[in-house]
Amino acid sequence: MFCLTNVFDNIMEDFCKAQYKMSNILSRRFELTGKMVVLVSAYKTQGLAEVCFSLPDINLDILKSLPKWKGMEEKVYDILDANEERKFLSFKQLGGSNRKIYFLVMQDVLEAVDGLSDEALLHKIKEILLKWNTFFQFEKEYVLSENAQQGLYGELYVLKKLINLYGQHAVNCWTGCNAEAHDFYLGKDAVEIKASSAKGPDKVRISSENQLDDTGISGKLQLVYLKVKKSEVDGETLSDIVQEIYNLIGESMKEIFQDKLLKAGYLYQMPELYNIHFKIKEESCYTVEEGFPRITPKTMCKGIGTVEYTVSLDACDRFLITIEEFYRGVNI
């Protein structure tokens, strides 16, 4: 399978050749398994890319339901190809968008559709685009902040332990990536993970009135606290722990894990983005129950909206259990 980024860079170099100096658009044609044609184009002046996929002669109503993203424009064109007019689905990069992200998505689509039948083609394209939809429906930086990386590392640290103890299906229990109320649902129990590198007394920041709310949980709600050391060189990066988890799970579960990472904002195809090193210094666990210091929807006064607050763990000693007791009590 060819690399779209390399093809685009080669086309941009062609603009320097004498025969192409007056051209503003250059394209290259590729034929995939199953005779699908892919056209890769470069726009010299803007430095932008366009990738077009030939469409089968079937009902194209599904195209209306493809996600629309800021930074990329999709259209259907009639293009003369090999002396035959054919329909092509075009994905054009727009000015101001991130080229790396654009090519990651297009490469993902390209590899997914190679060899597919006409009937499955458009459904697969839609499936891949919906998977990436999060990155195009909001205006945000595609590199996770230090705090976001630290929080994700904490969740993956616990996930890796659960996989080692209970097998790869622990990946299905990780829900923090889905913006659920809690980071893990383990059988009847729910678990909230908090990682902190702050100096001084142990405190955790609670970002909503729902995070420590055990309403609707038939088992226990537990809070796992990880004291983290951040460093430029000491410890492991997000990419390191992601690779460790990959090595523990099978191929079918890797696809599920990759989708969850993407939802969490982690680009598994670009490990070079994640250079912060983390090391877990301490880990502890608290059972969140009656008397635990918290704000929940039931305790909020009428008229108060979403809240954020800090819990001092020094005041929670009577709810403390050993981390070994927590892992022994897991029931997946």
Side-chain angles (χ1 to χ4, degrees):
M1 177 59 62
F2 59 91
C3 174
L4 287 172
T5 303
N6 291 343
V7 172
F8 177 81
D9 290 342
N10 290 338
I11 296 175
M12 292 300 291
E13 291 174 2
D14 285 346
F15 285 118
C16 298
K17 297 177 181 179
Q19 64 266 43
Y20 300 126
K21 280 190 175 180
M22 300 303 294
S23 302
N24 186 49
I25 305 175
L26 289 177
S27 302
R28 290 193 182 177
R29 181 184 186 275
F30 299 88
E31 191 166 307
L32 306 184
T33 307
K35 297 188 177 180
M36 170 188 261
V37 174
V38 177
L39 304 177
V40 183
S41 302
Y43 292 76
K44 180 174 69 175
T45 305
Q46 303 97 325
L48 301 175
E50 182 176 17
V51 180
C52 300
F53 299 87
S54 62
L55 293 173
D57 187 21
I58 59 176
N59 190 322
L60 302 179
D61 286 344
I62 191 174
L63 296 175
K64 300 175 184 177
S65 62
L66 292 180
K68 308 297 179 185
W69 298 324
K70 184 173 182 178
M72 190 165 75
E73 180 182 49
E74 54 188 58
K75 288 184 177 179
V76 176
Y77 291 106
D78 288 322
I79 298 176
L80 189 64
D81 176 64
N83 297 318
E84 177 187 1
E85 193 171 82
R86 305 179 65 179
K87 289 191 180 298
F88 280 80
L89 175 59
S90 159
F91 295 97
K92 185 177 180 182
Q93 179 196 4
L94 300 181
S97 61
N98 186 281
R99 183 183 298 171
K100 287 184 177 181
I101 297 295
Y102 169 81
F103 278 119
L104 279 177
V105 178
M106 290 297 98
Q107 190 74 42
D108 205 3
V109 172
L110 179 65
E111 294 175 2
V113 301
D114 188 23
L116 289 184
S117 63
D118 286 354
E119 292 75 16
L121 178 65
L122 289 177
H123 291 283
K124 177 56 71 172
I125 290 177
K126 182 178 179 180
E127 177 186 320
I128 299 300
L129 297 182
L130 286 173
K131 182 181 75 171
W132 283 93
N133 194 32
T134 305
F135 276 91
F136 292 90
Q137 61 185 345
F138 302 113
E139 292 184 43
K140 65 176 182 180
E141 293 293 328
Y142 70 92
V143 181
L144 291 169
S145 67
E146 283 194 19
N147 283 338
Q149 289 189 47
Q150 178 176 281
L152 179 56
Y153 178 84
E155 294 177 30
L156 295 180
Y157 176 85
V158 173
L159 175 59
K160 184 178 75 170
K161 277 197 162 187
L162 290 171
I163 293 171
N164 279 321
L165 288 169
Y166 299 104
Q168 66 174 1
H169 292 290
V171 173
N172 293 321
C173 301
W174 177 36
T175 53
C177 54
N178 297 327
E180 294 275 359
H182 306 294
D183 296 320
F184 286 88
Y185 286 92
L186 306 172
K188 295 180 178 181
D189 299 336
V191 183
E192 190 65 29
I193 311 297
K194 291 296 179 183
S196 174
S197 56
K199 296 179 180 178
D202 292 336
K203 297 179 180 179
V204 292
R205 178 178 170 273
I206 308 301
S207 58
S208 81
E209 68 276 18
N210 296 310
Q211 278 197 325
L212 298 184
D213 182 20
D214 56 352
T215 304
I217 300 171
S218 56
K220 296 174 292 187
L221 172 59
Q222 293 172 308
L223 172 66
V224 172
Y225 172 69
L226 305 173
K227 196 160 190 174
V228 180
K229 175 187 175 183
K230 282 196 302 186
S231 169
E232 293 184 3
V233 294
D234 186 24
E236 60 181 359
T237 64
L238 271 179
S239 302
D240 292 334
I241 196 167
V242 165
Q243 187 58 54
E244 289 173 11
I245 292 174
Y246 275 178
N247 294 340
L248 294 173
I249 59 181
E251 288 302 318
S252 60
M253 193 58 71
K254 284 178 182 176
E255 185 175 346
I256 294 172
F257 183 49
Q258 287 177 352
D259 288 350
K260 291 194 170 201
L261 287 173
L262 200 58
K263 290 177 181 177
Y266 177 87
L267 294 173
Y268 53 86
Q269 302 96 327
M270 298 174 67
E272 68 276 8
L273 295 177
Y274 310 101
N275 299 314
I276 304 170
H277 292 70
F278 302 98
K279 179 180 284 188
I280 303 298
K281 297 168 63 178
E282 297 177 21
E283 40 185 326
S284 51
C285 183
Y286 301 81
T287 299
V288 181
E289 56 188 0
E290 188 68 30
F292 192 94
R294 54 180 169 163
I295 298 174
T296 67
K298 287 183 179 180
T299 62
M300 287 175 62
C301 296
K302 187 176 182 180
I304 296 179
T306 303
V307 298
E308 295 183 7
Y309 61 101
T310 300
V311 174
S312 175
L313 295 179
D314 289 341
C316 303
D317 285 349
R318 69 186 179 96
F319 303 97
L320 186 64
I321 64 173
T322 66
I323 198 68
E324 292 79 15
E325 185 180 351
F326 162 69
Y327 283 111
R328 283 199 305 268
V330 168
N331 181 20
I332 299 179

